[in-house]
Amino acid sequence: MSVYQFSAKTIRGEEQPLSVYQGKVLLIVNTASRCGFTPQYKELQELYDDYRDRGFVVLGFPCNQFGGQEPGTEEEIEQFCQLNYGVTFPLFAKVDVNGDHAHPLFHYLKEQAPGALGTKAIKWNFTKFLVDRNGQVVARFAPQTKPHELRKEIEKLLSNKEG
């Protein structure tokens, strides 16, 4: 198994297989527009800008499961991200990340990289999963972990052409 077995609806409603990102290093993040961590969009975009030419992609998955902090439509979310943070990395349609209706990708991510004390549930917005070039989850980072703190791990994965 790898993340490439999954697909998801883009923010514009088209079904997209994640296999289009095969061979890339991915940072998969559940996002929200009205969260204390929302300013992380800026750093996520900076990471994307700095590393995309080397095969790095941020994938943003809006989620309204934590304090109702992503209430808007997909169109509103996309506009908010572009206008306020200049987001150009791929955004997907709103998903659930926990519970019976959680997107299958997030079931897989949580299985592969449990949180603190082995908990599977995602605790809040802006939980980050780092995925290597083979589609394998290598690390999970808490919402408080700022995106720029991941540079060393990202660079290590980018320099490894095999995985």
Side-chain angles (χ1 to χ4, degrees):
M1 281 290 288
S2 77
V3 298
Y4 305 137
Q5 266 85 37
F6 300 94
S7 67
K9 277 198 186 349
T10 67
I11 196 96
R12 301 221 169 133
E14 298 115 20
E15 196 65 31
Q16 179 172 301
L18 295 189
S19 59
V20 301
Y21 301 109
Q22 204 148 354
K24 308 266 188 206
V25 172
L26 304 176
L27 187 64
I28 300 174
V29 187
N30 64 302
T31 60
S33 300
R34 296 184 184 172
C35 175
F37 296 117
T38 300
Q40 287 189 17
Y41 269 126
K42 180 179 185 291
E43 284 186 32
L44 290 169
Q45 181 62 42
E46 288 169 0
L47 288 177
Y48 181 60
D49 290 342
D50 290 349
Y51 296 121
R52 72 174 154 205
D53 291 343
R54 292 177 56 197
F56 174 75
V57 184
V58 175
L59 303 180
F61 285 84
C63 177
N64 195 39
Q65 283 189 293
F66 304 103
Q69 294 181 345
E70 189 62 280
T73 65
E74 273 76 11
E75 189 178 346
E76 290 168 336
I77 294 165
E78 185 179 34
Q79 285 180 346
F80 173 86
C81 291
Q82 287 174 349
L83 291 173
N84 293 286
Y85 297 101
V87 167
T88 60
F89 58 79
L91 292 170
F92 290 83
K94 267 201 280 197
V95 297
D96 281 357
V97 297
N98 290 326
D100 294 341
H101 302 291
H103 191 284
L105 171 64
F106 281 87
H107 278 298
Y108 175 75
L109 293 170
K110 294 183 298 185
E111 278 298 315
Q112 298 303 305
L117 306 175
T119 58
K120 299 257 179 10
I122 290 176
K123 300 251 184 291
W124 204 252
N125 304 306
F126 291 89
T127 297
K128 300 157 201 73
F129 293 89
L130 190 58
V131 177
D132 70 14
R133 292 183 188 273
N134 297 318
Q136 301 302 307
V137 183
V138 295
R140 174 177 176 162
F141 299 94
Q144 307 83 288
T145 304
K146 291 180 172 31
H148 75 266
E149 295 173 35
L150 309 182
R151 285 186 182 272
K152 269 194 187 132
E153 288 90 341
I154 291 167
E155 287 177 15
K156 188 169 123 190
L157 292 175
L158 288 172
S159 63
N160 182 355
K161 300 292 183 213
E162 301 304 307

